[in-house]
Amino acid sequence: MIVRIMGEGQVRLDDSHLTELNKLDDELLAEMESGDEAGFRRTLTTLLDQVRRLGAPLADDALEPSDLILPSPDATLEEVRAMLTDEGLIPG
């Protein structure tokens, strides 16, 4: 799957990592619902770091359609809330 981190670019990520990333997505959702800004910031950073670590970056000039779009590292809680679906940021 191709994952875009807004403002950074795309990475190719194996679907086998979705379970691990969904756990972080669930934590992020819980922190957003409780208004835990510090926890939200920490978990968003961890989620994006994991995507970068587990994924292989695509070339800057690659024009692959993104299967998943994640917020930028400096996104606000409100900006991320606007990106959410019923399943959070990461489906599954």
Short mmCIF file of all heavy atoms in Angstrom, two decimals, residues 19-71:
data_model
loop_
_atom_site.label_atom_id
_atom_site.label_comp_id
_atom_site.label_asym_id
_atom_site.label_seq_id
_atom_site.Cartn_x
_atom_site.Cartn_y
_atom_site.Cartn_z
N THR A 19 -1.87 -3.96 11.37
CA THR A 19 -2.32 -4.29 12.73
C THR A 19 -1.58 -3.44 13.75
O THR A 19 -2.19 -2.86 14.65
CB THR A 19 -2.11 -5.79 13.01
OG1 THR A 19 -2.86 -6.54 12.06
CG2 THR A 19 -2.56 -6.14 14.42
N GLU A 20 -0.27 -3.36 13.61
CA GLU A 20 0.55 -2.55 14.53
C GLU A 20 0.16 -1.08 14.45
O GLU A 20 0.01 -0.41 15.48
CB GLU A 20 2.02 -2.73 14.14
CG GLU A 20 2.99 -1.92 14.93
CD GLU A 20 4.42 -2.11 14.46
OE1 GLU A 20 4.69 -3.02 13.65
OE2 GLU A 20 5.26 -1.30 14.88
N LEU A 21 -0.04 -0.58 13.25
CA LEU A 21 -0.39 0.83 13.08
C LEU A 21 -1.81 1.11 13.56
O LEU A 21 -2.08 2.21 14.08
CB LEU A 21 -0.23 1.24 11.61
CG LEU A 21 1.20 1.17 11.07
CD1 LEU A 21 1.22 1.51 9.59
CD2 LEU A 21 2.13 2.09 11.85
N ASN A 22 -2.71 0.15 13.44
CA ASN A 22 -4.08 0.33 13.93
C ASN A 22 -4.12 0.48 15.45
O ASN A 22 -4.97 1.19 15.97
CB ASN A 22 -4.98 -0.82 13.49
CG ASN A 22 -5.69 -0.49 12.20
OD1 ASN A 22 -6.20 0.61 12.02
ND2 ASN A 22 -5.73 -1.45 11.31
N LYS A 23 -3.21 -0.17 16.16
CA LYS A 23 -3.15 0.00 17.61
C LYS A 23 -2.82 1.45 17.96
O LYS A 23 -3.43 2.04 18.86
CB LYS A 23 -2.12 -0.95 18.22
CG LYS A 23 -2.52 -2.39 18.17
CD LYS A 23 -1.45 -3.30 18.72
CE LYS A 23 -1.85 -4.76 18.52
NZ LYS A 23 -0.78 -5.66 18.90
N LEU A 24 -1.88 2.03 17.24
CA LEU A 24 -1.54 3.44 17.46
C LEU A 24 -2.69 4.34 17.05
O LEU A 24 -2.97 5.35 17.71
CB LEU A 24 -0.26 3.80 16.69
CG LEU A 24 1.01 3.17 17.22
CD1 LEU A 24 2.16 3.36 16.23
CD2 LEU A 24 1.38 3.75 18.57
N ASP A 25 -3.37 4.00 15.98
CA ASP A 25 -4.52 4.76 15.52
C ASP A 25 -5.62 4.76 16.59
O ASP A 25 -6.24 5.79 16.86
CB ASP A 25 -5.03 4.18 14.20
CG ASP A 25 -6.10 5.02 13.53
OD1 ASP A 25 -6.01 6.26 13.58
OD2 ASP A 25 -7.01 4.43 12.94
N ASP A 26 -5.85 3.61 17.22
CA ASP A 26 -6.85 3.51 18.29
C ASP A 26 -6.46 4.38 19.48
O ASP A 26 -7.31 5.05 20.07
CB ASP A 26 -7.03 2.06 18.74
CG ASP A 26 -7.69 1.18 17.70
OD1 ASP A 26 -8.31 1.73 16.75
OD2 ASP A 26 -7.59 -0.05 17.82
N GLU A 27 -5.17 4.39 19.84
CA GLU A 27 -4.69 5.24 20.92
C GLU A 27 -4.91 6.71 20.58
O GLU A 27 -5.36 7.49 21.42
CB GLU A 27 -3.20 5.01 21.18
CG GLU A 27 -2.86 3.73 21.86
CD GLU A 27 -1.36 3.56 22.04
OE1 GLU A 27 -0.66 4.57 22.31
OE2 GLU A 27 -0.88 2.43 21.90
N LEU A 28 -4.58 7.07 19.34
CA LEU A 28 -4.73 8.45 18.90
C LEU A 28 -6.20 8.88 18.99
O LEU A 28 -6.50 9.97 19.48
CB LEU A 28 -4.22 8.58 17.46
CG LEU A 28 -4.12 9.99 16.90
CD1 LEU A 28 -3.03 10.77 17.62
CD2 LEU A 28 -3.83 9.94 15.40
N LEU A 29 -7.09 8.02 18.56
CA LEU A 29 -8.52 8.32 18.60
C LEU A 29 -8.99 8.53 20.04
O LEU A 29 -9.72 9.47 20.34
CB LEU A 29 -9.31 7.20 17.92
CG LEU A 29 -10.80 7.42 17.77
CD1 LEU A 29 -11.09 8.68 16.97
CD2 LEU A 29 -11.43 6.22 17.09
N ALA A 30 -8.55 7.67 20.95
CA ALA A 30 -8.94 7.79 22.36
C ALA A 30 -8.41 9.10 22.95
O ALA A 30 -9.13 9.78 23.70
CB ALA A 30 -8.41 6.59 23.16
N GLU A 31 -7.20 9.47 22.60
CA GLU A 31 -6.63 10.72 23.11
C GLU A 31 -7.35 11.93 22.55
O GLU A 31 -7.57 12.93 23.25
CB GLU A 31 -5.13 10.77 22.80
CG GLU A 31 -4.36 9.77 23.61
CD GLU A 31 -3.03 9.37 23.01
OE1 GLU A 31 -2.72 9.73 21.86
OE2 GLU A 31 -2.29 8.66 23.72
N MET A 32 -7.77 11.84 21.31
CA MET A 32 -8.52 12.93 20.71
C MET A 32 -9.88 13.08 21.39
O MET A 32 -10.31 14.19 21.69
CB MET A 32 -8.70 12.69 19.21
CG MET A 32 -7.41 12.81 18.44
SD MET A 32 -7.59 12.41 16.70
CE MET A 32 -8.68 13.72 16.18
N GLU A 33 -10.53 11.96 21.64
CA GLU A 33 -11.85 11.99 22.28
C GLU A 33 -11.79 12.54 23.70
O GLU A 33 -12.71 13.22 24.15
CB GLU A 33 -12.48 10.60 22.27
CG GLU A 33 -12.92 10.16 20.89
CD GLU A 33 -13.41 8.73 20.83
OE1 GLU A 33 -13.29 7.99 21.83
OE2 GLU A 33 -13.91 8.34 19.76
N SER A 34 -10.69 12.27 24.39
CA SER A 34 -10.56 12.75 25.77
C SER A 34 -9.95 14.16 25.84
O SER A 34 -9.88 14.74 26.91
CB SER A 34 -9.71 11.77 26.59
OG SER A 34 -8.36 11.82 26.17
N GLY A 35 -9.48 14.66 24.69
CA GLY A 35 -8.86 15.99 24.68
C GLY A 35 -7.45 16.00 25.23
O GLY A 35 -6.94 17.05 25.62
N ASP A 36 -6.79 14.85 25.23
CA ASP A 36 -5.42 14.73 25.74
C ASP A 36 -4.44 15.22 24.68
O ASP A 36 -3.93 14.43 23.88
CB ASP A 36 -5.16 13.27 26.12
CG ASP A 36 -3.76 13.03 26.66
OD1 ASP A 36 -2.94 13.98 26.74
OD2 ASP A 36 -3.48 11.86 27.00
N GLU A 37 -4.16 16.51 24.68
CA GLU A 37 -3.30 17.12 23.66
C GLU A 37 -1.89 16.54 23.69
O GLU A 37 -1.31 16.23 22.65
CB GLU A 37 -3.25 18.63 23.85
CG GLU A 37 -2.42 19.36 22.82
CD GLU A 37 -3.10 19.51 21.47
OE1 GLU A 37 -4.33 19.65 21.42
OE2 GLU A 37 -2.37 19.48 20.46
N ALA A 38 -1.32 16.36 24.88
CA ALA A 38 0.04 15.82 24.99
C ALA A 38 0.10 14.38 24.49
O ALA A 38 1.02 14.00 23.76
CB ALA A 38 0.53 15.91 26.43
N GLY A 39 -0.88 13.57 24.87
CA GLY A 39 -0.93 12.19 24.40
C GLY A 39 -1.14 12.12 22.90
O GLY A 39 -0.53 11.30 22.21
N PHE A 40 -2.02 12.97 22.39
CA PHE A 40 -2.27 13.05 20.95
C PHE A 40 -0.99 13.35 20.20
O PHE A 40 -0.65 12.68 19.23
CB PHE A 40 -3.33 14.13 20.68
CG PHE A 40 -3.34 14.63 19.27
CD1 PHE A 40 -3.94 13.90 18.26
CD2 PHE A 40 -2.74 15.84 18.93
CE1 PHE A 40 -3.96 14.36 16.95
CE2 PHE A 40 -2.74 16.31 17.63
CZ PHE A 40 -3.36 15.56 16.64
N ARG A 41 -0.25 14.34 20.64
CA ARG A 41 0.99 14.75 19.97
C ARG A 41 2.00 13.61 20.00
O ARG A 41 2.65 13.29 19.00
CB ARG A 41 1.54 16.00 20.66
CG ARG A 41 2.77 16.57 20.06
CD ARG A 41 2.62 17.20 18.70
NE ARG A 41 1.43 17.98 18.53
CZ ARG A 41 0.76 18.07 17.37
NH1 ARG A 41 1.18 17.44 16.30
NH2 ARG A 41 -0.33 18.78 17.28
N ARG A 42 2.14 12.96 21.15
CA ARG A 42 3.09 11.85 21.31
C ARG A 42 2.72 10.68 20.40
O ARG A 42 3.57 10.12 19.70
CB ARG A 42 3.12 11.42 22.78
CG ARG A 42 4.08 10.29 23.09
CD ARG A 42 4.04 9.90 24.57
NE ARG A 42 2.70 9.55 25.02
CZ ARG A 42 1.95 10.28 25.86
NH1 ARG A 42 2.41 11.39 26.36
NH2 ARG A 42 0.74 9.87 26.19
N THR A 43 1.43 10.31 20.37
CA THR A 43 1.00 9.16 19.58
C THR A 43 1.06 9.46 18.09
O THR A 43 1.45 8.60 17.30
CB THR A 43 -0.41 8.72 20.01
OG1 THR A 43 -0.39 8.42 21.41
CG2 THR A 43 -0.85 7.48 19.24
N LEU A 44 0.70 10.68 17.69
CA LEU A 44 0.82 11.04 16.27
C LEU A 44 2.27 10.95 15.82
O LEU A 44 2.56 10.38 14.76
CB LEU A 44 0.27 12.45 16.03
CG LEU A 44 0.38 12.96 14.59
CD1 LEU A 44 -0.37 12.05 13.62
CD2 LEU A 44 -0.11 14.40 14.50
N THR A 45 3.18 11.44 16.63
CA THR A 45 4.61 11.36 16.30
C THR A 45 5.05 9.91 16.18
O THR A 45 5.75 9.54 15.23
CB THR A 45 5.44 12.10 17.37
OG1 THR A 45 5.07 13.48 17.35
CG2 THR A 45 6.93 11.98 17.11
N THR A 46 4.63 9.07 17.12
CA THR A 46 4.99 7.65 17.09
C THR A 46 4.42 6.97 15.85
O THR A 46 5.12 6.20 15.18
CB THR A 46 4.49 6.94 18.36
OG1 THR A 46 5.08 7.57 19.50
CG2 THR A 46 4.86 5.46 18.35
N LEU A 47 3.16 7.27 15.52
CA LEU A 47 2.52 6.67 14.34
C LEU A 47 3.28 7.04 13.07
O LEU A 47 3.61 6.17 12.26
CB LEU A 47 1.06 7.14 14.25
CG LEU A 47 0.28 6.73 13.01
CD1 LEU A 47 0.11 5.21 12.96
CD2 LEU A 47 -1.06 7.42 12.97
N LEU A 48 3.58 8.31 12.91
CA LEU A 48 4.30 8.74 11.70
C LEU A 48 5.72 8.16 11.67
O LEU A 48 6.20 7.76 10.60
CB LEU A 48 4.31 10.26 11.61
CG LEU A 48 2.93 10.92 11.47
CD1 LEU A 48 3.06 12.43 11.48
CD2 LEU A 48 2.19 10.42 10.25
N ASP A 49 6.37 8.11 12.81
CA ASP A 49 7.72 7.52 12.87
C ASP A 49 7.69 6.05 12.46
O ASP A 49 8.58 5.57 11.76
CB ASP A 49 8.31 7.65 14.28
CG ASP A 49 8.78 9.05 14.61
OD1 ASP A 49 8.88 9.90 13.70
OD2 ASP A 49 9.03 9.30 15.81
N GLN A 50 6.66 5.32 12.89
CA GLN A 50 6.54 3.91 12.53
C GLN A 50 6.31 3.75 11.03
O GLN A 50 6.91 2.86 10.41
CB GLN A 50 5.39 3.25 13.30
CG GLN A 50 5.70 3.01 14.75
CD GLN A 50 6.80 1.98 14.92
OE1 GLN A 50 7.99 2.30 14.84
NE2 GLN A 50 6.42 0.75 15.14
N VAL A 51 5.49 4.59 10.45
CA VAL A 51 5.26 4.52 9.00
C VAL A 51 6.57 4.79 8.26
O VAL A 51 6.91 4.08 7.31
CB VAL A 51 4.16 5.52 8.57
CG1 VAL A 51 4.11 5.66 7.05
CG2 VAL A 51 2.81 5.09 9.11
N ARG A 52 7.32 5.77 8.70
CA ARG A 52 8.62 6.07 8.06
C ARG A 52 9.59 4.92 8.22
O ARG A 52 10.33 4.57 7.30
CB ARG A 52 9.22 7.33 8.67
CG ARG A 52 8.49 8.60 8.33
CD ARG A 52 9.20 9.81 8.97
NE ARG A 52 8.34 10.95 9.06
CZ ARG A 52 7.79 11.42 10.18
NH1 ARG A 52 8.02 10.82 11.34
NH2 ARG A 52 7.02 12.48 10.15
N ARG A 53 9.61 4.31 9.42
CA ARG A 53 10.56 3.23 9.71
C ARG A 53 10.21 1.96 8.95
O ARG A 53 11.09 1.27 8.41
CB ARG A 53 10.56 2.95 11.22
CG ARG A 53 11.56 1.89 11.65
CD ARG A 53 11.53 1.66 13.15
NE ARG A 53 10.31 1.04 13.62
CZ ARG A 53 10.03 -0.27 13.52
NH1 ARG A 53 10.89 -1.08 12.96
NH2 ARG A 53 8.89 -0.74 13.98
N LEU A 54 8.93 1.63 8.89
CA LEU A 54 8.49 0.39 8.28
C LEU A 54 8.34 0.48 6.76
O LEU A 54 8.38 -0.53 6.07
CB LEU A 54 7.15 -0.05 8.89
CG LEU A 54 7.17 -0.36 10.38
CD1 LEU A 54 5.74 -0.52 10.91
CD2 LEU A 54 8.01 -1.58 10.68
N GLY A 55 8.15 1.69 6.26
CA GLY A 55 7.91 1.89 4.83
C GLY A 55 9.18 2.22 4.07
O GLY A 55 10.20 2.58 4.65
N ALA A 56 9.10 2.08 2.77
CA ALA A 56 10.20 2.44 1.87
C ALA A 56 9.79 3.71 1.12
O ALA A 56 8.76 3.72 0.44
CB ALA A 56 10.46 1.31 0.88
N PRO A 57 10.57 4.78 1.26
CA PRO A 57 10.19 6.04 0.62
C PRO A 57 10.15 5.91 -0.91
O PRO A 57 10.98 5.23 -1.50
CB PRO A 57 11.30 7.01 1.03
CG PRO A 57 12.08 6.34 2.08
CD PRO A 57 11.81 4.88 2.00
N LEU A 58 9.15 6.55 -1.50
CA LEU A 58 9.09 6.63 -2.96
C LEU A 58 9.85 7.87 -3.40
O LEU A 58 9.98 8.83 -2.64
CB LEU A 58 7.64 6.73 -3.43
CG LEU A 58 6.73 5.55 -3.12
CD1 LEU A 58 5.34 5.79 -3.71
CD2 LEU A 58 7.29 4.26 -3.66
N ALA A 59 10.33 7.85 -4.61
CA ALA A 59 11.04 9.01 -5.16
C ALA A 59 10.11 10.22 -5.16
O ALA A 59 8.89 10.08 -5.33
CB ALA A 59 11.52 8.70 -6.57
N ASP A 60 10.68 11.40 -4.97
CA ASP A 60 9.88 12.63 -4.94
C ASP A 60 9.08 12.84 -6.21
O ASP A 60 8.01 13.43 -6.18
CB ASP A 60 10.78 13.84 -4.69
CG ASP A 60 11.30 13.88 -3.26
OD1 ASP A 60 10.69 13.24 -2.37
OD2 ASP A 60 12.33 14.55 -3.04
N ASP A 61 9.59 12.35 -7.34
CA ASP A 61 8.88 12.56 -8.60
C ASP A 61 7.91 11.42 -8.94
O ASP A 61 7.28 11.42 -9.98
CB ASP A 61 9.87 12.77 -9.75
CG ASP A 61 10.79 11.58 -9.96
OD1 ASP A 61 10.82 10.67 -9.11
OD2 ASP A 61 11.50 11.58 -10.98
N ALA A 62 7.75 10.45 -8.03
CA ALA A 62 6.80 9.34 -8.24
C ALA A 62 5.38 9.87 -8.09
O ALA A 62 5.10 10.65 -7.19
CB ALA A 62 7.07 8.23 -7.24
N LEU A 63 4.51 9.44 -8.97
CA LEU A 63 3.11 9.87 -8.94
C LEU A 63 2.19 8.68 -8.73
O LEU A 63 1.37 8.35 -9.57
CB LEU A 63 2.75 10.61 -10.22
CG LEU A 63 3.49 11.91 -10.46
CD1 LEU A 63 3.16 12.47 -11.84
CD2 LEU A 63 3.17 12.92 -9.38
N GLU A 64 2.35 8.02 -7.61
CA GLU A 64 1.53 6.86 -7.26
C GLU A 64 0.28 7.34 -6.53
O GLU A 64 0.36 8.25 -5.70
CB GLU A 64 2.31 5.93 -6.34
CG GLU A 64 3.56 5.35 -6.94
CD GLU A 64 3.28 4.20 -7.88
OE1 GLU A 64 2.24 3.53 -7.73
OE2 GLU A 64 4.10 3.98 -8.78
N PRO A 65 -0.88 6.75 -6.80
CA PRO A 65 -2.07 7.11 -6.01
C PRO A 65 -1.89 6.60 -4.57
O PRO A 65 -1.40 5.50 -4.35
CB PRO A 65 -3.21 6.39 -6.72
CG PRO A 65 -2.58 5.34 -7.56
CD PRO A 65 -1.16 5.77 -7.83
N SER A 66 -2.27 7.42 -3.61
CA SER A 66 -2.13 7.06 -2.20
C SER A 66 -3.33 6.25 -1.74
O SER A 66 -4.47 6.62 -1.99
CB SER A 66 -2.01 8.33 -1.35
OG SER A 66 -0.88 9.06 -1.70
N ASP A 67 -3.05 5.14 -1.07
CA ASP A 67 -4.11 4.32 -0.48
C ASP A 67 -4.54 4.89 0.87
O ASP A 67 -5.65 4.65 1.32
CB ASP A 67 -3.62 2.88 -0.28
CG ASP A 67 -3.24 2.23 -1.59
OD1 ASP A 67 -4.12 2.12 -2.47
OD2 ASP A 67 -2.07 1.85 -1.74
N LEU A 68 -3.64 5.62 1.49
CA LEU A 68 -3.87 6.14 2.83
C LEU A 68 -3.16 7.49 2.94
O LEU A 68 -2.01 7.62 2.51
CB LEU A 68 -3.32 5.15 3.85
CG LEU A 68 -3.47 5.44 5.32
CD1 LEU A 68 -4.94 5.52 5.71
CD2 LEU A 68 -2.78 4.36 6.12
N ILE A 69 -3.83 8.47 3.51
CA ILE A 69 -3.23 9.78 3.71
C ILE A 69 -3.23 10.07 5.20
O ILE A 69 -4.28 10.02 5.86
CB ILE A 69 -4.00 10.88 2.95
CG1 ILE A 69 -3.96 10.58 1.46
CG2 ILE A 69 -3.40 12.27 3.25
CD1 ILE A 69 -4.78 11.52 0.60
N LEU A 70 -2.04 10.36 5.73
CA LEU A 70 -1.88 10.68 7.14
C LEU A 70 -1.54 12.16 7.30
O LEU A 70 -0.94 12.76 6.40
CB LEU A 70 -0.77 9.82 7.75
CG LEU A 70 -1.05 8.31 7.76
CD1 LEU A 70 0.15 7.56 8.32
CD2 LEU A 70 -2.30 8.00 8.57
N PRO A 71 -1.88 12.74 8.45
CA PRO A 71 -1.62 14.16 8.66
C PRO A 71 -0.13 14.45 8.80
O PRO A 71 0.67 13.56 9.07
CB PRO A 71 -2.36 14.47 9.96
CG PRO A 71 -2.46 13.16 10.66
CD PRO A 71 -2.54 12.11 9.59
#
